[in-house]
Amino acid sequence: MKRILLVEDDEDLCMQLGKSLRKAGYEVKIAEDGYAALKFNPGDFDLLITDIYMPGLGGLELIMELRETCPDLKSIAISGGGMYKNMDVLKKADTVGASQVLEKPFVDADLIESINRLIGQ
């Protein structure tokens, strides 16, 4: 079973995404921010899904950190643009090493399709 680390500070969205990913057949571990995500061993996962704007360590910094310690880890950056609806952050995520970016809101099927393309099932 493929393992996903889901990092999202919106508790409702996190629970909904976690449920959808488990239903799709993935094992999911959840972290509420980048610092909590770093407590896990990145080598234990096939994919990182991270929000960009979070308190503490944000998604861009998390992606950069994990690219150094686990360069083969695939990642999907997700964002609604934060308080200012700045979607340039997704372009930045692409340049720092995200394998895929998705703009919120998205439908679960689009996320599952992206995951399947990156790591299979």
Side-chain angles (χ1 to χ4, degrees):
M1 181 178 290
K2 300 285 182 161
R3 299 186 75 206
I4 296 174
L5 177 56
L6 173 61
V7 187
E8 171 61 64
D9 63 323
D10 179 322
E11 187 176 343
D12 292 335
L13 178 59
C14 192
M15 292 301 113
Q16 180 253 319
L17 290 176
K19 182 178 178 181
S20 294
L21 294 172
R22 288 181 186 99
K23 185 177 178 183
Y26 297 102
E27 182 179 337
V28 180
K29 297 292 182 186
I30 293 174
E32 66 275 1
D33 65 28
Y35 289 123
L38 290 175
K39 293 178 182 176
F40 291 100
N41 177 3
D44 291 343
F45 296 95
D46 299 292
L47 178 72
L48 166 71
I49 300 172
T50 185
D51 189 12
I52 299 297
Y53 292 112
M54 297 179 287
L57 186 68
L60 291 178
E61 296 85 2
L62 178 62
I63 291 169
M64 288 187 290
E65 174 81 21
L66 293 181
R67 295 288 303 162
E68 287 188 25
T69 60
C70 197
D72 294 332
L73 180 65
K74 304 281 189 216
S75 61
I76 298 175
I78 59 176
S79 183
M83 179 190 302
Y84 300 106
K85 303 297 180 207
N86 179 0
M87 297 317 295
D88 288 341
V89 71
L90 288 175
K91 292 177 190 167
K92 179 71 172 169
D94 191 42
T95 64
V96 301
S99 308
Q100 170 95 32
V101 296
L102 285 175
E103 181 178 341
K104 292 179 190 175
F106 51 82
V107 294
D108 291 352
D110 289 342
L111 178 61
I112 300 298
E113 181 181 318
S114 295
I115 294 168
N116 286 336
R117 217 176 18 253
L118 290 172
I119 64 169
Q121 190 166 20

